[in-house]
Amino acid sequence: MARKSKAEFVKWFGPLLDALRDLGDSGRPREVSDRIAKNLNLSDEVLDETLKSGGNRFHNQVAWARQYLVWEGMLESSKHGTWTLTEKGRTAHITESQAAEIFKKWVAIHAENRKQKSADQAEALEEEAPAPDTPQADQEMSLIAVLRSLSPLGFEKVSRELLRESGFENVEITGGSADGGIDGFGTLEINPFVSFKVLFQCKRYAEGNLVGRSQVGDFRNAMIGRAEKGIIITTSSFTNAAVTEANREGAPKVELVDGAKLVEMFQRVELGVKKRTVYDVDLTYFEKFRE
């Protein structure tokens, strides 16, 4: 297989701006990626490709495209997970050649600010690394590695703890081989008057081993008559067909928790992780003083 270009993600610069305009100038990361995929009618082959780390290559590339557009002043640097166009971004329409120039410009800026590294090393700031807006990317990599190293039962147990810390009650692991694909259940209380039973399934998968459509369908079939809601938790990711199946109209919705979301949930409740504060230089701020 031919080696992919380091700057392959630049092709999403223009489509990312278009997607945000379609969404009313702002959107959550997954919404933006999904709109790009819809606008360009991307194939499942593209949408299901993974990185060496096990993350989704397409969503990771879009996140890197977003970072360069933030540096370029076309997107706001949100701290709350919403991508928003700036005034400059609302009117910008970027071709691939223009995107390549933006990429080269910021590679040069980073190289200048890291004189101890060569320009080639600066270009390594690309999509094979964890997405730049992923909370504590190095922690994400180590946490996923730890979760994958657990035994299947160990992963079920830590998932049980995560659900408890996230507000679920009466969480239990079913265990055994006759659970019909159900690894556990719990109760989620919406308010003092309304609560519902939730079934969950845990898939401790290695990188590149995705949860497919048939697995989502089998889990839903096992849910029928037993609970109102289902959750599949994996250390890997889901194929595009699996996501479509989980949200199929007329069928009980299945919530999907992939590796990236799983890390976010551990961090949100501070389970098995320790918070730290790191300050990075905001190169965008200092760029205006170069003139």
Side-chain angles (χ1 to χ4, degrees):
M1 182 182 293
R3 188 179 186 277
K4 293 182 179 295
S5 168
K6 284 184 177 181
E8 184 186 11
F9 62 88
V10 302
K11 66 185 178 184
W12 306 123
F13 284 22
L16 194 160
L17 294 175
D18 292 338
L20 281 171
R21 280 188 282 265
D22 290 345
L23 294 170
D25 294 347
S26 68
R28 303 290 290 182
R30 187 74 190 213
E31 291 177 321
V32 178
S33 295
D34 289 347
R35 180 53 66 102
I36 293 173
K38 179 180 179 181
N39 287 349
L40 301 182
N41 194 27
L42 299 180
S43 67
D44 285 352
E45 182 180 4
V46 172
L47 299 177
D48 292 345
E49 190 175 358
T50 60
L51 299 168
K52 293 178 181 178
S53 63
N56 182 277
R57 179 179 292 277
F58 169 63
H59 296 301
N60 190 268
Q61 287 184 341
V62 172
W64 274 110
R66 176 259 180 188
Q67 181 61 71
Y68 277 79
L69 293 175
V70 168
W71 288 334
E72 193 64 16
M74 295 183 182
L75 270 68
E76 294 181 5
S77 183
S78 170
K79 297 179 180 178
H80 305 289
T82 298
W83 297 359
T84 304
L85 291 171
T86 61
E87 191 61 38
K88 179 180 179 181
R90 291 189 187 98
T91 57
H93 296 274
I94 302 176
T95 65
E96 279 201 42
S97 60
Q98 290 171 327
E101 290 304 312
I102 292 173
F103 169 75
K104 291 176 183 178
K105 166 187 170 182
W106 284 99
V107 165
I109 290 173
H110 282 284
E112 179 66 22
N113 284 274
R114 295 173 178 148
K115 290 184 181 295
Q116 72 276 20
K117 295 184 180 180
S118 68
D120 287 340
Q121 287 175 315
E123 283 199 18
L125 183 68
E126 46 90 17
E127 73 271 14
E128 278 295 343
D133 61 341
T134 300
Q136 299 182 1
D138 57 338
Q139 181 178 349
E140 173 179 354
M141 295 297 295
S142 60
L143 178 54
I144 284 295
V146 169
L147 291 173
R148 286 174 177 161
S149 71
L150 301 177
S151 66
L153 179 57
F155 183 53
E156 291 176 10
K157 287 181 176 180
V158 78
S159 295
R160 176 182 61 189
E161 296 303 306
L162 178 61
L163 290 171
R164 285 173 174 167
E165 291 293 329
S166 299
F168 286 76
E169 297 182 354
N170 306 315
V171 185
E172 294 185 25
I173 296 173
T174 56
S177 59
D179 58 8
I182 305 301
D183 292 325
F185 60 86
T187 303
L188 182 61
E189 183 177 290
I190 303 302
N191 56 51
F193 300 100
V194 180
S195 64
F196 53 84
K197 186 177 181 179
V198 179
L199 303 180
F200 63 91
Q201 184 180 75
C202 303
K203 293 190 175 295
R204 183 190 54 86
Y205 280 1
E207 61 184 55
N209 191 1
L210 307 184
V211 180
R213 178 182 180 278
S214 62
Q215 292 161 301
V216 175
D218 290 344
F219 176 65
R220 177 186 281 123
N221 290 336
M223 283 171 47
I224 295 176
R226 300 170 67 179
E228 297 86 352
K229 197 81 167 178
I231 305 173
I232 299 179
I233 304 170
T234 183
T235 53
S236 181
S237 189
F238 299 88
T239 66
N240 189 56
V243 174
T244 300
E245 175 64 23
N247 294 282
R248 179 163 54 87
E249 291 187 12
K253 180 177 172 59
V254 177
E255 298 291 343
L256 304 180
V257 178
D258 62 12
K261 188 173 182 180
L262 185 59
V263 168
E264 181 182 330
M265 292 173 68
F266 271 94
Q267 293 174 346
R268 183 178 301 167
V269 299
E270 297 185 29
L271 179 66
V273 296
K274 296 180 180 179
K275 183 183 290 186
R276 63 176 178 170
T277 300
V278 178
Y279 290 95
D280 293 321
V281 176
D282 183 357
L283 295 177
T284 306
Y285 172 78
F286 291 102
E287 180 63 15
K288 58 179 176 286
F289 297 107
R290 295 177 182 275
E291 300 175 357

